[in-house]
Amino acid sequence: MGDSYRAQALAWREHDPDPQTRAEVTALLEAGDDAALADRFGARLEFGTAGLRGELGAGPNRMNRVTVMRAAAGVARWAGAGATVVIGYDARHRSADFARDSAAVLTGAGCTALLLPRPLPTPVLAHTVRDLAADAGIMVTASHNPPRDNGYKVYAGGAGPDAGAQIVPPADTAISAAIDAVEFADRLPMGTGWQVLGEEVVDRYLSAVGRLPLGGERDVTTAYTPLHGVGGATLATAFARAGFPAPVTVLEQAEPDPDFPTVEFPNPEEPGAMDLALALGRDAGTDIVLANDPDADRLAVGVPGHGLLTGDQVGGLLAEYVLERTSGADRMVATTIVSAGLLPKIAAAHGVRCAETLTGFKWLARAAGPGERCVFAYEEALGYCLAGDAGRPVADKDGIGAALAVAAMAAEAKRAGRTLLDLLDDQARRYGLHATAQESLRVADRAVIGGTLRRLRAWPPRAFGDLEVEGVEDFAEGRGGLPATDALRYRLGGPARGRVTLRPSGTEPKLKAYLEVVLPVESAGPAAARARAGEHLADLRAAVRELFPA
């Protein structure tokens, strides 16, 4: 087997146009490191609806120029000769190289390649695809992954309401098949005539998000971090153009840095990632704390002295804010099967439909039915897409537009002598307290996850902690018109109502559990309900951990 990997490595090196990864292969061959060769050449990164994402390095199981050039050739074949493709990139290691390689391959294939002018947030790319009515878009980013990773996302184009949304099947299958047809990257025709777009693309994006329903109040103070990513300058300009005071920014994290030196993982959901921003908000006495992930398509929200709000809490607040400031019988909202059950209640109170989709904005962006207009969509993983009566700036999650809306909402609350926490209490009294949490069960062997889900389907649990299972929803064969996915959702009752939703991670060997407890707010108030909900969530966590054999 080792000889096979060595032969593959030699063939790769012969056709690799990048001296950096050629040198890596040479070093591994000379060291006789068969394990490292097997890791790089024993598998390949699979192209799916999320595109590609993986560790940088040589070989088909890594992100590198060969992998990217083959992916660009696949996109070119899928889009067709003459197609216009917009390419964006973040500030990660090799992102600019991968973007230029993509432009060269697309141009060589007879496409028109338009390159964004500099490292920019993902929502700028999504908006530009839509704004220019391009045929497709490519974003080189690994979002909030560790520094050693990079990735490649593909966006559908056209002029419809879903233009600028991430691709869905069967586009991923078609691109993957086209990638497989590329034998050697160094034999692809490479063009030089791509166009570098100007700063007007950023200006047009900012104009679009400025038309979101932002009210008239602007007195709000903000602590902000871009987490070493590309969102800082764009957010600062967005705030200035909308008339908000400039945020105070975490200086240690203000500039793009692909090594993310101050955080273990550049993900605002990870423990410790928001410590500097929360400390700045506390010390500066700001009203709110905001953070983007490194490509600025997600938004974390905190309140000094309280800590971070969950994605479900922010989603509920933004949904009501948008619905109160838009009009029309064609409005609808959308969320996912793993998010809280609050949004359907908010939608019903405002007389609009709430759609439920699979996880991912590729599905949320397409949730509207014929004659409908999606004015708000969110998923619990800090992703929000807002629209106003003037339209939807992007058909994807947007951490910049969401930040503007949160600032406007906080400013309006401040004018009334209130905070975001007071708004959460209002919703708890109106709709019941919806408390959510996650539990991830990591395993060494993915087969354990499959075996666990098969066992749960054959012998459903009767309870999770002190909450009884009142019903089971199995999404494996599709449910409610949704595509099939490997997920189970348990509806719970007893001392509280709730849900437990289980699904395998799409990128890591772990089972993800999404926990929700719903309680009425009684005379003791929201704080007492939250304390009781916390106890129930702790019991649910313990029950979920018992699903795997010791």
Side-chain angles (χ1 to χ4, degrees):
M1 189 65 72
D3 289 343
S4 172
Y5 296 140
R6 292 179 68 84
Q8 292 179 54
L10 287 166
W12 174 283
R13 186 179 63 178
E14 182 180 353
H15 295 283
D16 185 351
D18 188 349
Q20 182 174 324
T21 42
R22 285 201 310 270
E24 179 184 337
V25 172
T26 297
L28 294 174
L29 289 168
E30 291 178 349
D33 193 339
D34 290 341
L37 291 171
D39 185 36
R40 288 160 175 76
F41 293 93
R44 73 177 181 88
L45 296 179
E46 296 291 339
F47 188 95
T49 53
L52 295 164
R53 192 175 294 185
E55 187 176 348
L56 291 163
N61 201 32
R62 294 287 189 273
M63 285 296 298
N64 49 61
R65 290 183 62 195
V66 171
T67 299
V68 164
M69 291 165 67
R70 296 177 77 239
V75 172
R77 181 171 296 190
W78 164 70
T84 297
V85 183
V86 184
I87 306 164
Y89 57 102
D90 65 11
R92 283 180 174 267
H93 292 295
R94 307 307 303 269
S95 285
D97 296 334
F98 294 166
R100 286 190 291 268
D101 280 337
S102 296
V105 170
L106 286 159
T107 304
C111 297
T112 298
L114 307 177
L115 193 64
L116 293 191
R118 53 186 169 86
L120 285 165
T122 292
V124 176
L125 179 278
H127 175 265
T128 303
V129 172
R130 186 187 190 89
D131 188 45
L132 298 181
D135 298 292
I138 293 169
M139 184 68 194
V140 180
T141 179
S143 188
H144 52 273
N145 274 39
R148 63 180 181 273
D149 290 357
N150 213 325
Y152 202 81
K153 294 200 293 187
V154 179
Y155 288 75
D162 303 333
Q166 297 177 47
I167 59 168
V168 294
D172 58 327
T173 304
I175 295 172
S176 183
I179 291 171
D180 290 342
V182 179
E183 187 175 9
F184 298 117
D186 63 338
R187 294 181 183 174
L188 290 168
M190 305 286 279
T192 58
W194 64 82
Q195 178 185 350
V196 178
L197 297 170
E199 289 295 320
E200 72 276 359
V201 298
V202 184
D203 182 71
R204 292 178 65 83
Y205 163 75
L206 291 169
S207 295
V209 296
R211 292 190 290 271
L212 289 170
L214 302 177
E217 300 298 330
R218 294 294 183 266
D219 180 16
V220 65
T221 55
T222 306
Y224 170 72
T225 176
L227 281 181
H228 300 294
V230 296
T234 305
L235 182 134
T237 305
F239 267 53
R241 288 178 57 153
F244 291 105
V248 291
T249 301
V250 177
L251 294 179
E252 300 95 322
Q253 300 171 335
E255 296 301 322
D257 188 332
D259 292 318
F260 307 107
T262 67
V263 291
E264 187 173 353
F265 291 99
N267 179 352
E269 291 183 293
E270 289 289 332
M274 290 289 293
D275 286 356
L276 290 176
L278 290 169
L280 177 62
R282 181 194 64 233
D283 295 344
T286 65
D287 299 311
I288 55 175
V289 177
L290 302 178
N292 290 129
D293 65 338
D295 69 326
D297 63 350
R298 301 198 304 161
L299 177 74
V301 179
V303 175
H306 169 79
L308 293 177
L309 306 188
T310 68
D312 285 313
Q313 289 175 320
V314 176
L317 292 180
L318 284 175
E320 197 137 40
Y321 181 84
V322 171
L323 286 170
E324 289 172 350
R325 289 158 182 80
T326 54
S327 59
D330 59 343
R331 293 174 303 158
M332 57 84 64
V333 295
T335 188
T336 71
I337 64 171
V338 302
S339 299
L342 175 61
L343 188 57
K345 294 181 180 180
I346 295 173
H350 290 270
V352 304
R353 184 176 79 90
C354 179
E356 189 177 60
T357 76
L358 301 184
T359 57
F361 264 83
K362 57 183 175 287
W363 303 114
L364 285 168
R366 295 173 170 85
E372 290 186 324
R373 176 169 54 99
C374 185
V375 295
F376 180 73
Y378 96 97
E379 61 181 358
E380 46 71 42
L382 311 185
Y384 316 97
C385 177
L386 290 77
D389 289 334
R392 180 165 66 172
V394 299
D396 197 19
K397 55 185 178 290
D398 180 0
I400 305 296
L404 289 174
V406 169
M409 181 168 54
E412 188 168 305
K414 184 178 180 179
R415 176 67 180 268
R418 313 185 79 222
T419 70
L420 297 183
L421 302 180
D422 295 314
L423 301 185
L424 288 174
D425 285 348
D426 290 347
Q427 286 195 330
R429 294 185 183 97
R430 191 177 304 129
Y431 305 112
L433 177 74
H434 289 249
T436 58
Q438 283 191 41
E439 186 73 16
S440 292
L441 306 173
R442 187 176 292 274
V443 297
D445 183 358
R446 283 183 180 271
V448 174
I449 296 175
T452 298
L453 291 173
R454 285 192 296 272
R455 174 168 51 82
L456 292 173
R457 288 186 168 100
W459 297 284
R462 295 183 178 181
F464 286 83
D466 62 349
L467 302 186
E468 297 179 357
V469 174
E470 295 183 342
V472 183
E473 298 166 278
D474 191 343
F475 296 89
E477 295 182 1
R479 184 179 179 87
L482 299 179
T485 192
D486 192 10
L488 290 165
R489 186 164 67 188
Y490 299 91
R491 289 182 283 106
L492 309 178
R497 306 205 66 78
R499 301 192 298 192
V500 169
T501 307
L502 305 174
R503 61 179 280 268
S505 169
T507 57
E508 300 177 86
K510 63 184 181 182
L511 181 69
K512 301 183 76 171
Y514 303 84
L515 317 175
E516 179 178 21
V517 171
V518 184
L519 287 167
V521 174
E522 299 170 341
S523 58
R530 287 194 177 90
R532 295 199 311 275
E535 294 172 359
H536 287 299
L537 286 174
D539 290 342
L540 290 182
R541 286 182 186 275
V544 165
R545 287 194 292 267
E546 292 174 0
L547 293 177
F548 282 163

